[in-house]
Amino acid sequence: MDPLFDINPAERQPLAKVVVVAGPSGTGKTRFTTRSGLPVISLDEFYFEGTHPGMPQRHGMVDWDSPLTWNREGALSALVRLCTEGHTEVPIYDIPTNSRTGVRDVELDGARIVLVEGIFAPEIVRDVRGEGILADAICLKRPRAQTFWFRLARDLDEGRKPPINLIRRGISHFFAEPDTYRRIEANGCRIVTWEEAHETLTNLLARAR
């Protein structure tokens, strides 16, 4: 993808840089990022509406694990604006109804690091690097059985989709997880434990002062 703005990324002096936090669904990306106290952009907010033309289907519903279901350019644009201008707008997305319900403002407020998370995080690593705003790209890893139960419990608790669809999706993710990690690494992310992720973030924040 070509840079979104006219400024040469090599000449850009961003106010902040991005740490991409990837990982299969259920590895705790949202928990890790929201507990950091840093500005966070969730790529899940950039899903298209459920009625968007050409949405892929799987397990009797829209395949929300497909990159075709989200607005990649919109997410990248929001990240670049946040890092270079200090503020941006992101959608508010309601997963149970497959619809956008509004927008919210995100401000740097002096932060030098921005976290971006979501199952599509690996898809944006090269784009963020090309825009000159990438600080690091990591992928959280937990034991596969633990990820399965955390993911299923969360999805059932939030009523994201019908239970039978969530169970089928969870089983599919369970068996696909080794391949998922290989794909994430191929997109430029480092596989790390939670402890290593905390250490990485601590070191980046220390250098950014």
Side-chain angles (χ1 to χ4, degrees), residues 92-163:
I92 298 173
Y93 197 90
D94 182 60
I95 291 179
T97 61
N98 306 331
S99 62
R100 296 186 177 189
T101 60
V103 296
R104 66 182 178 91
D105 294 322
V106 180
E107 304 279 346
L108 281 183
D109 287 331
R112 301 296 301 276
I113 295 293
V114 173
L115 302 183
V116 57
E117 63 90 13
I119 61 171
F120 300 125
E123 310 290 335
I124 209 169
V125 172
R126 289 187 178 90
D127 297 333
V128 174
R129 181 182 290 115
E131 294 291 344
I133 57 172
L134 181 67
D136 205 345
I138 60 176
C139 172
L140 299 178
K141 187 170 185 178
R142 280 174 165 169
R144 196 166 12 157
Q146 189 179 70
T147 299
F148 173 84
W149 287 113
F150 281 168
R151 176 175 56 241
L152 184 60
R154 177 204 63 198
D155 290 350
L156 290 172
D157 182 61
E158 296 179 4
R160 292 191 168 193
K161 303 297 173 191

Side-chain angles (χ1 to χ4, degrees), residues 51-120:
T51 56
H52 186 79
M55 296 288 266
Q57 302 287 316
R58 190 182 185 192
H59 303 312
M61 62 179 183
V62 173
D63 181 10
W64 298 107
D65 297 313
S66 168
L68 297 177
T69 61
W70 74 296
N71 184 356
R72 177 176 173 176
E73 289 189 4
L76 181 60
S77 177
L79 278 169
V80 172
R81 285 196 177 91
L82 181 59
C83 289
T84 59
E85 300 176 16
H87 59 88
T88 194
E89 280 189 351
V90 299
I92 298 173
Y93 197 90
D94 182 60
I95 291 179
T97 61
N98 306 331
S99 62
R100 296 186 177 189
T101 60
V103 296
R104 66 182 178 91
D105 294 322
V106 180
E107 304 279 346
L108 281 183
D109 287 331
R112 301 296 301 276
I113 295 293
V114 173
L115 302 183
V116 57
E117 63 90 13
I119 61 171
F120 300 125

